[in-house]
Amino acid sequence: MENFKNNPQLFEENAEILKALAHPVRLCIVKGLLQAGESNVSNMQSCLNMPQSTISQHIAKLKSVGIITGERNGLEIIYKVSNPKVISIINALF
């Protein structure tokens, strides 16, 4: 518990990551990105079989906690997992 006293911010950040991954759709998005390396929303939409707007909302949450990043490529944005902790978590789960 000594670490918590020294760095409560670390616990907060890790809890936010876990909360973001706790939703099945977001977990599926992250796992899919790790398998594919990177993807755009259209590819995710065909794989997840749900509206693009729903996927975009989940992507926004994943980006807000630093799990994924997006890079613009012309008209599309290519997403990839950018957090090494998350890669370890997904590998442990699957």
Side-chain angles (χ1 to χ4, degrees):
M1 286 308 275
E2 194 61 35
N3 268 350
F4 181 69
K5 291 178 186 173
N6 293 336
N7 196 355
Q9 180 81 24
L10 180 62
F11 285 84
E12 289 293 327
E13 290 169 6
N14 288 336
E16 288 302 314
I17 288 170
L18 292 172
K19 282 194 282 186
L21 290 174
H23 193 285
V25 172
R26 291 193 289 267
L27 191 59
C28 183
I29 289 170
V30 173
K31 185 175 183 302
L33 284 174
L34 285 175
Q35 287 176 326
E38 58 186 27
S39 182
N40 62 23
V41 175
S42 296
N43 288 342
M44 290 181 215
Q45 181 184 8
S46 64
C47 180
L48 291 169
N49 215 12
M50 58 182 50
Q52 185 171 336
S53 60
T54 303
I55 295 170
S56 293
Q57 289 173 350
H58 288 293
I59 286 173
K61 177 64 177 174
L62 293 168
K63 282 177 62 177
S64 74
V65 296
I67 293 175
I68 65 172
T69 55
E71 188 174 308
R72 183 164 292 283
N73 182 12
L75 296 176
E76 65 184 5
I77 300 175
I78 305 297
Y79 295 99
K80 63 182 175 184
V81 178
S82 58
N83 188 316
K85 286 182 187 177
V86 171
I87 295 169
S88 296
I89 292 167
I90 298 300
N91 287 336
L93 290 173
F94 297 99

